[in-house]
Amino acid sequence: MKRLFRLPWRSTRHIDADVEDELRFHLDARVADLVAEGVPPQAARERASREFGDAEDARTYIRELDRRAEHERRRRETMSELWRDLTYGLRKMRAAPAFTAAAVATIALAIGANTAVFSVVYAALLRPLPYRNSDRIVAVLAEFRGERWVASPPDFVDWRAQSRSFAAMAAINPYPHTLTGVGDPEVVPAASVTADFFDVFGVAPALGRPFDPNELTAGHEPTVVLSDALWRQDFAARRDIIGASIQLDGKAARVVGVMPPGFAYPRRARLWTPLAFSANDLATQRGAHYLDVVARLRPAVGAELAARDMETIAARLADTYPRTNKGHSAVVLALRDTIIGATPRRALLVLLGAVGLVTLIACVNVASLLLARGTARRHELAIRAALGASPTGLLRTALTESVLLAFCGGALGLAIGALAVRALAVLRPAALTDVGPISVDGIVIAFTFGASVITGVAFGMVPAVQAMRTATMHAGLQSTTRSDTAGLRAGRVRATLVAAELALSVLLLIGAGLLIKSFIRLQNVPSGFDARGVLTFGISLPDGRYPKPSDAATFYQSLITELDSLPDVAVAGGISIVPLDGADFEISVMSVDGRTIPDADQPSPQIRLATPDAFRALGIRLVRGRGFSTSDRSGQPRVAIVNERAARLLWPTGDALGHRLEIGTKFGLGGERGGGEVVGIVADVHDQGLGVPPEPTVYLSHAQFPVSDMSVVVRARGGADPLRLAPPARAVVRRFDPQLPLAHVESMSDIQSASVAQPRFVTLLLASFAFIALVLAVVGVYGVMTYLVGQRTRELGIRMALGASRRAVVLSTLGRVFKPIVLGLGAGIIAALVLTRAMQRLLYDVKPSDPATLVVVPMVLAVVALAAAYVPARRARNVDPVIALRSE
């Protein structure tokens, strides 16, 4: 019977008596809560009555309470089941220490490699640059015949005046300065910048102010803005530094600002000076490209629109100034792209793909281990299914164990990755150094955590599903042998996994083989000079103390003579730019034997200024003619020396000796035309890198065209360590001028090694990943063979009892794994033919389809895989038929 009543507070409907009782209970509880909060009893009852509403609201309220109670019950039940699965998984891991150690070590290798590579990729390609809205900052470059150049002063001024896409545009001329008066003389990385430089980067000085517009005019009092690092290191963070004068290149410069910590652009710049253009600069330097240009996009403008705007401006300038700008265009690139460069970016993406393959191989390997373990536990799983465990419950239990293994491997992998990151920080090339520190931060740790979870699910899914099917079939209760249907199915799955593992390993090994072959060929490229035992350092003579060109000529002649007299020095010389430096003087006009070559047809040789013994000091071979002598000085007939490529290019039908060459450079010769009679031909030298063909080069006598900035090269006697010459060389320079610091003191061997740092970095990492893949593949094949021998123990016993020879048993066992090996190797070769094309630009003198690599690498892997399979296969011949049959 249902008893009806009317609610005493607001309801006008009837509800059941049992609902009334429950509602009153909740009402009283709510009133008690309100009273406990300090609400008077009568007010508490009225408020509670309003909250409960009418009868329909009461039913809704009770249903919500029931729903919440059921949700809480299920949550607790799920947490309880999850806790049981966790404890069960931990017990199983502890009960099989060998299995756990193998699985955790495999995962740790993969996660560690992922952590290390992702740290580099994140720092180089993903981490925001340390500037406000850095994605809005772009670099603007000139483009001519497919090559990208920096800008000239007149072009920059026109770009800035005519462009409508940028909120601010600035030009940068990186140039080091000599800082004196605060301890030992020091060469400080610096840059001269135009007015909008700090606006482009959205940063203001933390102390003082930026440059005043009046300071950006030619002839104004020199001013300087310091970096935070230089302010703290050399000036003890003095706040009264603002307004003080410091000595730069022997001249006083007033400090007007100090930048906030962390700001450094160009990378490593420690101070900034104003960049001013005179009327003469703008009139004569239209073709002088030496300015980096950066800009900030307007809020509503994208990079594509800005690029079209700059192309229009470049076309207009080409029509207006055809002699210098014909064929020139302009490109707009993200600032990060100019810092990293296309080749390092491609290399990082290749490494990221390689480490992904290592992770897949590790997943396949651990899945194979879990599959074998699941097959051995069929009986246990079947009993659990018979006692009421649901298929999803068994699946959850298996995946929980997989994720536990992944977490343990991930924790160890994070530690391995942190150690690897330290090593990579030492090995990384300069292009990756410029992006900032590489470290294991919160983002990298989160990536490692996510990679561990995904890896655990990936390698645990196939064994978990297989275990669930086996258990629901009650295979462990119904089978009486180890070769039942479920066991055979598991064996086929494991064979498929091994084939996939070998295919991935072949792909990695072929990629590593191509890079190794490429790097070996790059290392064997004749550089054109002998770097062994050579020390080099730079000197920049300040104009204040060496105002005349003759002063520079006298200084370097006297310095080199003094260095030659040192007991450990074989020969010393000077050259404007050392090999592999990559810098260059630019040609403005050229004439050969009195015939002027138009700009569009100019071969654009490089210009080098050298002292008489520079070629001997660098080990550059004299092919024909003679080198410079002490008689090739100012006032004497001017002479020139060309390299073999310049001789072939400029005089293709005859000998270059005795011919005349005249050039005008945009920099380095004070605007003076240089050249003279060609008196010698020297061997080609790789100036832009070992992987870049030698450029045509013209050498001029430094005594006839003296410049203030030179690199001194000193060859040690007997091939001794050249760095041991640095202290005596520094002492000699100080005797000549105590205010002169030495810049870039290093051996030519180190310079040559740094020139191949990027290919060495990529090759070393990819080779490491390939080695890991090879080890994992061997372990995988060995595990499959061990499993197969265990599965076929009874069969092998019967065959041997019937007279099968031990050799036939071994060959039969090897035959079971031969097919997966062949399929895996074939699939890997096909994948390599397709995917290694992405490595084309990373290879030197090697094609992605290199036949030797495509043949040798799979053959080596096949031999190694068969050797790994042979060890457990030999055990099959030792099976005792009697014991095998009795065990069944």
Side-chain angles (χ1 to χ4, degrees), residues 323-342:
R323 183 178 178 277
T324 56
N325 289 58
K326 183 180 180 181
H328 285 227
S329 183
V331 293
V332 177
L333 301 176
L335 183 64
R336 184 188 299 276
D337 292 342
T338 62
I339 296 175
I340 298 296

Side-chain angles (χ1 to χ4, degrees), residues 27 36 157 173 332 337 397 419 434 475 503 681 705 803 853:
L27 175 65
V157 171
N173 182 22
V332 177
D337 292 342
T397 300
L419 294 176
D434 290 343
I681 301 174
F705 299 96
T853 305

Side-chain angles (χ1 to χ4, degrees), residues 9 26-28 30-31 34 42-53:
W9 46 96
H26 291 299
L27 175 65
D28 292 339
R30 178 58 178 156
V31 171
L34 292 173
Q42 184 61 32
R45 178 164 292 278
E46 293 177 358
R47 178 174 170 181
S49 298
R50 289 194 302 270
E51 289 178 357
F52 279 76

Side-chain angles (χ1 to χ4, degrees), residues 558-607:
S558 302
L559 174 65
I560 290 171
T561 301
E562 189 72 17
L563 290 172
D564 270 328
S565 66
L566 293 176
D568 294 329
V569 173
V571 62
I575 191 167
S576 55
I577 302 172
V578 295
L580 299 177
D581 183 272
D584 192 14
F585 288 152
E586 295 188 25
I587 302 297
S588 61
V589 66
M590 172 182 291
S591 65
V592 176
D593 295 328
R595 178 177 59 87
T596 300
I597 301 178
D599 286 358
D601 300 330
Q602 282 188 18
S604 297
Q606 299 182 103
I607 305 301

Side-chain angles (χ1 to χ4, degrees), residues 280-296:
N280 183 64
D281 294 336
L282 298 180
T284 62
Q285 294 188 358
R286 176 69 63 177
H289 296 261
Y290 63 96
L291 297 178
D292 296 321
V293 176
V294 292
R296 177 174 289 274

